[in-house]
Amino acid sequence: MRLIIILIAALWGIFAVLALVRTRDKSLEAKLTAGYIVVWPALVVILLINEPVPMWIAVPTMFGFIPWFMAGPHLWSILKDPSSAQPDEIIGIPRAYWIWGGLAAILLGLLFS
C-alpha cells in the first residue's frame, strides 16, 4: 500500500511540475498555488519513507491535504482569470485559516504524541 501511495504522489508531482512550468509568466498567486501542489506530494513521500514521524509533524502535514486538494481548482481559476485572486488569501484559503489551522494542527499533534 505504501508503494501505491508513493506512486500516486509521484505521478501527481510530475503533473504538478508541469503546472508550475505553465505559471512562469502568471501572477504570484498562481506561482504559490502551483508550488504548493508540487511541494505537498514530495513532503508526503518523505514522511512515508521516514516513518515513524513525530505526530507534531505528521498531523499538520496530513491536514495540509485539504488545501492541497483544493489548490487544483483554484490554480485553474487563476490561470483562466488572474483577477480572481483575493489579496488576503494564499492558494484560495484566507490567511487567518492558515495561521490558526497550522497552530491547531501542531498543538493537536503535540497532544497526541
Side-chain angles (χ1 to χ4, degrees):
M1 183 64 179
R2 179 186 286 182
L3 292 176
I4 292 171
I5 293 172
I6 291 172
L7 179 65
I8 290 170
L11 288 174
W12 189 272
I14 291 168
F15 288 111
V17 169
L18 293 175
L20 187 63
V21 169
R22 286 190 60 200
T23 60
R24 277 187 300 207
D25 56 344
K26 301 295 181 182
S27 68
L28 177 62
E29 179 69 15
K31 291 176 186 174
L32 285 174
T33 304
Y36 187 71
I37 291 173
V38 170
V39 169
W40 194 86
L43 184 61
V44 169
V45 169
I46 290 169
L47 287 178
L48 284 172
I49 291 172
N50 293 315
E51 281 189 40
V53 176
M55 291 293 282
W56 67 274
I57 295 173
V59 172
T61 303
M62 290 303 127
F63 279 130
F65 175 75
I66 296 167
W68 175 80
F69 188 68
M70 295 168 38
H74 177 71
L75 176 61
W76 184 252
S77 69
I78 296 295
L79 291 176
K80 287 175 65 177
D81 180 21
S83 66
S84 65
Q86 301 297 321
D88 196 32
E89 291 182 347
I90 300 172
I91 69 162
I93 297 170
R95 186 168 290 150
Y97 291 150
W98 280 104
I99 294 168
W100 292 110
L103 288 174
I106 290 171
L107 290 175
L108 188 64
L110 286 172
L111 181 69
F112 287 109
S113 61

